[in-house]
Amino acid sequence: MMRDNETEGHWYAIRTKNKKEEVAKFNYQRQGYTVYLPLLRKTVHHARSTTEKLVAFFPGYLFLNLAPAEQNWTAIASTRGSLGALCFGDSYIEIPGWVISDLKAREDKGLSILAKDLIKENLTPGSVVTVNIPGLESVEAVVYSIRGSENVDVLLNILSRQVKTTVSLDRIKID
């Protein structure tokens, strides 16, 4: 069942159980399927330490490359860690190959996608973003300027006023 060439099949998005992407990936690979699970390298700040963590780029999803003869949807849905293929009605949704190629091209040495590089590509002064602040709900902000490689100056909308502050890139979510 294992194929060397991904061009023989089509890519499909597979839903996984909560935080079970790696389990589903392992079990699909064990069955001989070609699997792609894009990972995101995320910087995590906790107390006084900063660590990097690999998380799923699309939480709850991974991609399978299936030839027409491999499309056994019952076996795919019953794989441990999986909930089944993404579909609308009776049609399974095919993911264009260029989407997978683009994701793979953004990876750092074939391991993960760098969050700050992805975020910085879409940040420009005047962009509306959401800032995650510990202890508060997410706050809407407008990008004022990019400061270095790790921080962004934003105008936070707090109590109907704009307050200028500097925040880390990993706290920014582009709307």
Side-chain angles (χ1 to χ4, degrees):
M1 187 185 289
M2 189 74 133
R3 291 177 286 114
D4 293 328
N5 190 353
E6 293 175 359
T7 59
E8 293 177 26
H10 302 282
W11 288 101
Y12 295 91
I14 307 297
R15 290 183 315 140
T16 65
K17 293 180 180 175
N18 190 27
K19 298 188 182 191
K20 299 291 184 188
E21 298 90 358
E22 289 287 345
V23 171
K25 177 184 175 185
F26 172 77
N27 287 303
Y28 282 126
Q29 286 175 331
R30 203 177 66 182
Q31 294 174 54
Y33 291 112
T34 302
V35 183
Y36 178 55
L37 174 61
L39 297 173
L40 181 69
R41 186 177 309 226
K42 187 175 180 181
T43 305
V44 179
H45 303 282
H46 183 67
R48 292 187 194 124
S49 67
T50 300
T51 58
E52 283 194 348
K53 179 178 169 183
L54 291 177
V55 296
F57 188 72
F58 300 106
Y61 293 91
L62 56 75
F63 301 98
L64 282 183
N65 187 271
L66 303 170
E70 295 176 324
Q71 295 177 1
N72 181 351
W73 299 113
T74 305
I76 290 168
S78 64
T79 297
R80 182 172 286 194
S82 170
L83 294 172
L86 191 63
C87 61
F88 290 115
D90 293 336
S91 302
Y92 292 95
I93 307 305
E94 202 175 298
I95 306 299
W98 66 266
V99 172
I100 304 299
S101 298
D102 188 49
L103 287 169
K104 287 182 176 182
R106 292 175 180 270
E107 290 179 340
D108 176 34
K109 299 176 188 167
L111 181 63
S112 64
I113 298 168
L114 298 172
K116 54 187 157 193
D117 292 343
L118 196 62
I119 291 171
K120 275 186 110 168
E121 284 181 17
N122 297 312
L123 279 181
T124 56
S127 301
V128 176
V129 297
T130 302
V131 179
N132 296 323
I133 301 173
L136 294 176
E137 298 269 335
S138 297
V139 178
E140 188 177 275
V142 176
V143 175
Y144 185 77
S145 66
I146 297 175
R147 181 182 290 242
S149 63
E150 299 285 328
N151 298 312
V152 178
D153 287 335
V154 295
L155 298 171
L156 292 173
N157 292 322
I158 299 176
L159 298 174
S160 301
R161 295 186 60 205
Q162 287 190 326
V163 178
K164 183 179 173 190
T165 188
T166 302
V167 295
S168 175
L169 273 175
D170 60 340
R171 299 208 183 274
I172 299 283
K173 178 182 170 198
I174 299 172
D175 293 336

